[in-house]
Amino acid sequence: MFDEFEGEDGDPFDGEDDSPEEALGPDVPGVEGPDAPSVDGPETPAVEIPSVDTSSDDVPGDLMAAFWTLVVLANGAVLAFSLGLMFIGFRGNWDLGGRLVIASGLIAVLGWRIHRRYERRN
């Protein structure tokens, strides 16, 4: 049935010599010019990868503590608010949903006060 697609040893994918990458897309044009790097010669310039120092020594400890405190409080406020709205909307549970929405507002106010206190101190 598929004999016309088979190669010499019966493998249907053995008939083609081209790699799939070469068959896809247009040919890549060459770069010409006096400063063009050679791709296949030994004179190819080495690429230097810059290093980045990721140590946290440049961030003050109180700033880092305030930042992560605000991140946790903001995530808690968003979680409580969204769960509260889902309890109200999907289950009709105004008691628990209302408490969660109010708790999210209190968490947001607490985060805002911590932020203001840090700004006034620095």
Side-chain angles (χ1 to χ4, degrees), residues 67-87:
F67 172 76
W68 286 112
T69 302
L70 292 175
V71 166
V72 169
L73 289 175
N75 285 334
V78 169
L79 177 67
F81 185 74
S82 60
L83 283 176
L85 289 182
M86 284 192 276
F87 272 109

Side-chain angles (χ1 to χ4, degrees), residues 5-109:
F5 296 114
E6 291 182 3
E8 295 174 5
D9 59 350
D11 188 11
F13 298 109
D14 199 28
E16 296 184 18
D17 292 335
D18 296 332
S19 67
E21 292 84 15
E22 292 176 5
L24 297 175
D27 293 333
V28 179
V31 178
E32 296 179 13
D35 296 332
S38 173
V39 176
D40 38 79
E43 64 273 352
T44 303
V47 177
E48 294 182 25
I49 300 174
S51 64
V52 178
D53 184 24
T54 58
S55 65
S56 62
D57 295 339
D58 56 347
V59 178
D62 59 338
L63 175 62
M64 188 180 302
F67 172 76
W68 286 112
T69 302
L70 292 175
V71 166
V72 169
L73 289 175
N75 285 334
V78 169
L79 177 67
F81 185 74
S82 60
L83 283 176
L85 289 182
M86 284 192 276
F87 272 109
I88 292 170
F90 294 136
R91 297 207 172 202
N93 190 346
W94 282 88
D95 185 41
L96 180 60
R99 289 180 188 189
L100 284 171
V101 169
I102 291 171
S104 72
L106 294 175
I107 294 170
V109 167

